[in-house]
Amino acid sequence: MKFNLVIASWLVLTVASTSHAQAKRWILESSDLATVEKGLQTHGGEKVRHLEHSKGLVANLSDAALKGLKKDHPGLVAIEDIEFSIIARASGAPAPVHPPQQIPWGLTRINARLANAVTKGSGVKVCVIDTGVDKTHADLQANVVGGRNYVVAKGKIDPTGYNDDNGHGSHVAGIIAALDNSIGTVGVAPEAKLYAVKALNSRGSGYLSAIADGVSQCVSVGSHVINMSLGATQDPNLASPLRTAVENAIAAGVVVVVAAGNEGENINMKIPAGYPSTIAVAATDSLDQFPSWSNFGLNNGDFSAPGVSIYSTWKSGGYNTISGTSMASPHMAGVVALKISSQSLGYKTFDLGRSLSVQGDGLIDALATVQNQLQ
């Protein structure tokens, strides 16, 4: 039986970065988008479409045209559209060289790289319940140890079809455990293993029953941590297959980490963030501020983590920079993996001076967490 539709991918804004030759497609963001749109014609650009939920648009521009447009509009933000690049590669254009590895600001802020001198998460399995994972991604493949699909396609469910056709799940997976190599990015726990549960379709939505089945599958394959960067509005006190599955997972010793959500509302009416047994994670930016869209109502045992402009892996071998509590949650899940691997006694945080409802127990500190051991 299928239960209420869950809108997942707690995602605020999609921006992207990649490279391809000559004519390019750009995401343009500005507080004065109407003027920018008029300027496109002046500089020979072509508007493709407006972005939903954002003061942005997609446009085709040469490098020279973009330079002129940015000169006329100093506050303009322009980022190359990864989706267009993926389409171009599929149509026969040569694939770009893998970008050199960069350390995302979130890992630096929570001291993850310093913590990696103690442990990189070896021996820990993290189950990602999302839109799937790009299982052939050069920055993920060696850490993906399997997966299971619960999404119906053409009236059937192919259990082996857990490859990501949205991008969100791959982004989450990369924050947790992208490989520590010479390309792209690196995860919080780059030696942790990833198990991919595809419970959400290409639009980032799915059914509670499928997500509940995914939670049970995570337990059955021996996962130590489950990450769910997804959610819906429903009274968390009501019985549901998802709540039962989560409680069973926690009773089995699995740590369940979830996104707080992006509506700027109290998590009390959100699932699974409102379940008291889960670790709900709010988002912070690079200045340790809480964006207005990050949900509140956190309790003891909930945390904050970086969730604004986070660079990570994407579908089709790509990379992307996006924002949301969806990105905060896997930072925490990665730290949980480090904690388990290091046999730490508990979590340590930075107190950001906000109320418990806003920051939970604080911004997670990976280094202090893995060093929290009996001397």
Side-chain angles (χ1 to χ4, degrees), residues 136-217:
T136 62
H137 198 296
D139 230 351
L140 294 173
Q141 184 175 9
N143 279 344
V144 178
V145 294
R148 177 72 181 266
N149 172 49
Y150 291 93
V151 174
V152 178
K154 297 181 180 179
K156 299 179 180 179
I157 296 177
D158 174 8
T160 66
Y162 59 87
N163 203 47
D164 186 9
D165 53 4
N166 173 281
H168 188 269
S170 297
H171 198 275
V172 168
I175 295 170
I176 298 169
L179 297 169
D180 189 3
N181 49 23
S182 62
I183 65 169
T185 186
V186 61
V188 174
E191 291 183 1
K193 298 305 180 186
L194 295 165
Y195 187 86
V197 167
K198 183 176 177 62
L200 308 176
N201 62 24
S202 61
R203 298 183 302 277
S205 62
Y207 290 94
L208 293 180
S209 53
I211 297 168
D213 288 342
V215 172
S216 300
Q217 176 69 9

Side-chain angles (χ1 to χ4, degrees), residues 69-129:
L69 191 63
K70 292 182 75 172
K71 183 178 180 180
D72 291 348
H73 304 278
L76 180 67
V77 176
I79 306 165
E80 193 179 349
D81 184 358
I82 192 171
E83 297 297 337
F84 180 76
S85 297
I86 290 170
I87 293 169
R89 294 204 301 275
S91 65
V97 175
H98 290 298
Q101 187 180 82
Q102 60 177 276
I103 308 301
W105 74 264
L107 267 67
T108 302
R109 180 63 188 93
I110 66 171
N111 290 327
R113 294 301 284 166
L114 295 175
N116 288 160
V118 179
T119 176
K120 293 186 177 183
S122 178
V124 179
K125 181 184 289 186
V126 183
C127 188
V128 177
I129 302 178

Side-chain angles (χ1 to χ4, degrees), residues 305-366:
V308 178
S309 297
I310 305 299
Y311 179 72
S312 185
T313 48
W314 198 246
K315 66 177 181 177
S316 302
Y319 296 87
N320 204 350
T321 301
I322 57 179
S323 299
T325 57
S326 277
M327 289 61 254
S329 181
H331 278 88
M332 184 66 204
V335 174
V336 175
L338 298 181
K339 173 188 176 294
I340 294 170
S341 181
S342 66
Q343 300 182 351
S344 164
L345 298 179
Y347 304 106
K348 295 291 185 178
T349 62
F350 302 98
D351 182 358
L352 299 183
R354 303 296 293 273
S355 68
L356 175 67
S357 174
V358 173
Q359 72 169 18
D361 290 337
L363 180 71
I364 192 64
D365 182 343

